[in-house]
Amino acid sequence: MATVLVVEDDPFVRSALIRHLADTGHAVRSVGTALEALREVAQVGCDLVVLDLGLPDLDGSEALKMIRGLTNVPVIISTARDDEAEIVRLLNDGADDYLVKPFSGEHLTARMAAVLRRLGGGALMAPQILRVGGLAIDPQRREALLDGQRLDLTRREFDLLAFLAARPGVVVPRKEILAEVWRQTYGGDQTIDVHLSWLRRKLGETASSPRYLHTVRGVGVRLEAPGGPVGGAT
C-alpha cells in the first residue's frame, strides 16, 4: 500500500486518521506543522500527503505551494472550508483532491485510491508503460520518452499526456480532461489549450501540423500515433 504523510495539528483528528490508515494497510507518518511537513517531504518523501489547511505556523494553502516547489507528490487537502472559489483556487495551485471536514476514514481511503490510480502511484497499480507510436510513458516513475529521448515535462503536462496516452485514438471530451486532470467541473478551456500548446512544442509539432495531439473542434482531444491509432500498455 502507500506511504502517507498526515499533516494535521488537531490531535484527535490526527490520531483517528493514523489509526484508520494503518488499519487499512498504509504506512503512516504524521506531523502537526507546515515546517515539519516540508522537512518530511524534502528529506524522507512519501507516496501521498493529506494536508490540513488550518496549521498553526503557516496556512495550508501556502504550505501546498511550497510542497509543489519541492515535489510532485499527490496532495489531498483536508479542510473545514467549503467555499467553492477557495476549493477551485487550491486545485489550481496543485492540490490533487480535497475533502471537507468532517469526513469518514473510508471516504479518505477511497479518494486516496482514486488519486493514486489516476497518477499511477503507490502499490495500488501494477507497473505498466503506455506506448503510443514513439512515445513511452511510465506513470509510476513519471517519465516520458519520445523516440528514446526523455521529455522535460511539468507535472500538469505529464498528467495530461499520460491521461490521453491511456486512451490512444479516442477523442476525449474537454470536460472529462478538466475533471480528471485538473479536478475541476467547469471552465478551464484556456488552461487546457495552453498546456496542449506547451506539450506540442515539446513533441516537436504544432496545432496546424499535429503528429500526436489532434484537436477535434467542439469535441475534445485525441492522442494518436503518427500514421494511425497504434498504442497500448505493456
Side-chain angles (χ1 to χ4, degrees), residues 21-40:
L21 291 171
D23 286 347
T24 52
H26 296 289
V28 188
R29 298 197 307 277
S30 66
V31 295
T33 68
L35 182 60
E36 291 174 307
L38 292 169
R39 185 180 299 118
E40 282 283 317

Side-chain angles (χ1 to χ4, degrees), residues 199-215:
L199 266 179
R200 284 191 175 104
R201 189 178 310 153
K202 293 177 181 180
L203 293 175
E205 62 182 66
T206 63
S208 60
S209 221
R211 295 179 64 236
Y212 286 93
L213 292 168
H214 301 264
T215 299

Side-chain angles (χ1 to χ4, degrees), residues 5-74:
L5 175 64
V6 174
V7 187
E8 170 63 65
D9 70 318
D10 185 314
F12 297 104
V13 175
R14 190 168 160 184
S15 295
L17 292 177
I18 293 170
R19 184 168 57 253
H20 177 80
L21 291 171
D23 286 347
T24 52
H26 296 289
V28 188
R29 298 197 307 277
S30 66
V31 295
T33 68
L35 182 60
E36 291 174 307
L38 292 169
R39 185 180 299 118
E40 282 283 317
V41 167
Q43 297 181 1
V44 182
C46 58
D47 295 321
L48 184 143
V49 177
V50 180
L51 176 64
D52 178 42
L53 290 188
L55 299 173
D57 58 336
L58 186 67
D59 187 81
S61 60
E62 293 302 314
L64 171 64
K65 293 177 184 177
M66 296 174 76
I67 289 172
R68 278 290 158 260
L70 295 171
T71 177
N72 288 325
V73 65

